[in-house]
Amino acid sequence: MASEVGLSTAAVHERVKKMVERGVIERFSLRVDPERVGLRFTAFVAVRNDGGIHCREVAPLLREMPEVLELHSVAGEYDFLAKIRTTHARALEEVLYKIKAIPGVARTTSTVVLNTEFEDRPLRLP
Amino acid sequence: MASEVGLSTAAVHERVKKMVERGVIERFSLRVDPERVGLRFTAFVAVRNDGGIHCREVAPLLREMPEVLELHSVAGEYDFLAKIRTTHARALEEVLYKIKAIPGVARTTSTVVLNTEFEDRPLRLP
DNA sequence: GTTGAAAAATTCGCTGT
DNA sequence: ACAGCGAATTTTTCAAC
């Protein structure tokens, strides 16, 4: 790692450590192939909240569902966009029931993923 | 790491190595905070291809754009759903121009992310 | 899964900036 | 005050069991 960048290993280590301290590097991780662990079904679910509870209360409830891998607050007709992974389509139905059980959640629209072309690309630094 | 799971470090190492060999673990990575490196704007862009070139040719072209972090082939009105990160809204416009320049790409619909609640959650094994 | 030697990472003290 | 280096220490890796 160090030789490729022309620094000693110790210098690289110091830099990485500082980036962790400063929060630039959030965490170290490893990527597991979702298909290989049985998560073969992916969908993007748009969620609209029509005032039952405040939007700020909805996000923590969606976070409790392990199938919800990503949650974004979005502009437009819907309030949230969730990326959801389950074992199969039938399991998504269960998750949708749980989401619709949240007070105020009036409508959801699911976009089924047929194939993930690519995912988890390294960020290009601007 | 090993002590928490009740195995020797070497045994853990063997297991990890096998998971890498079998492709269960795809790669080791570190997560960089996109905001901290200037990527402050996120959008999901749905792309529809109306027959200029085959869908299979469109994906590689989108892969060449570093702003496109994820690409999924989807069911429904659109053919693809792309997760895009740029420095600011103005930069998304540039990316959209490039996408629309692909032969056959007739229409795109962008969903602007106001706030990412969470992302890159560990998969729960089913 | 375990042990232990080789290899690599991390920390430390120092130097130049 | 801070980035980098080489050497000492600690941890990880990998073979043999």
Side-chain angles (χ1 to χ4, degrees):
Chain A
M1 189 184 190
S3 60
E4 292 141 28
V5 86
L7 287 176
S8 66
T9 56
V12 171
H13 179 257
E14 295 269 308
R15 284 189 176 199
V16 171
K17 205 173 132 200
K18 267 173 193 161
M19 285 191 261
V20 173
E21 281 162 10
R22 289 173 187 164
V24 178
I25 293 173
E26 290 183 340
R27 70 177 91 124
F28 298 89
S29 55
L30 52 82
R31 173 158 169 88
V32 172
D33 183 349
E35 308 250 331
R36 299 297 295 270
V37 295
L39 293 166
R40 307 207 166 83
F41 190 82
T42 307
F44 285 88
V45 177
V47 178
R48 186 150 100 194
N49 179 8
D50 279 346
I53 58 175
H54 194 276
C55 271
R56 295 207 188 280
E57 329 248 348
V58 175
L61 295 172
L62 290 168
R63 192 191 283 265
E64 280 169 24
M65 304 177 195
E67 299 91 348
V68 180
L69 300 184
E70 264 179 56
L71 185 68
H72 307 269
S73 172
V74 294
E77 289 180 52
Y78 291 88
D79 297 301
F80 296 103
L81 185 62
K83 181 180 177 178
I84 295 184
R85 271 210 161 102
T86 58
T87 52
H88 53 279
R90 174 73 184 71
L92 177 66
E93 193 190 23
E94 294 291 338
V95 177
L96 288 176
Y97 284 155
K98 284 197 287 180
I99 292 173
K100 286 170 183 166
I102 297 171
V105 170
R107 217 163 102 75
T108 64
T109 300
S110 301
T111 300
V112 172
V113 171
L114 301 173
N115 180 41
T116 292
E117 305 284 343
F118 55 89
E119 206 177 12
D120 283 324
R121 269 201 153 172
L123 299 181
R124 206 215 29 172
L125 306 183
Chain B
M1 190 183 189
S3 60
E4 292 141 29
V5 88
L7 288 175
S8 66
T9 57
V12 171
H13 178 258
E14 294 273 307
R15 284 189 175 199
V16 171
K17 200 176 138 200
K18 269 173 193 159
M19 285 189 263
V20 172
E21 280 163 9
R22 288 174 189 163
V24 178
I25 294 173
E26 290 184 340
R27 70 176 90 123
F28 297 88
S29 56
L30 54 82
R31 172 158 170 87
V32 172
D33 183 348
E35 308 251 330
R36 299 296 295 269
V37 294
L39 293 167
R40 307 209 166 81
F41 190 82
T42 308
F44 286 89
V45 177
V47 178
R48 186 150 102 195
N49 180 8
D50 280 345
I53 57 175
H54 195 275
C55 270
R56 295 206 190 279
E57 329 248 349
V58 175
L61 295 173
L62 290 168
R63 194 191 282 266
E64 279 169 25
M65 304 178 195
E67 299 90 347
V68 180
L69 301 185
E70 264 176 59
L71 184 68
H72 308 269
S73 171
V74 294
E77 289 180 52
Y78 292 87
D79 296 301
F80 295 104
L81 185 62
K83 181 178 174 178
I84 296 185
R85 272 211 160 100
T86 58
T87 53
H88 53 278
R90 174 73 184 69
L92 177 66
E93 193 188 22
E94 294 292 337
V95 177
L96 288 176
Y97 284 155
K98 282 197 285 180
I99 293 174
K100 287 171 183 166
I102 297 171
V105 169
R107 218 164 99 75
T108 63
T109 301
S110 302
T111 299
V112 171
V113 171
L114 301 173
N115 180 41
T116 292
E117 304 285 344
F118 55 89
E119 207 177 13
D120 283 324
R121 267 206 157 166
L123 299 182
R124 208 215 25 175
L125 307 183

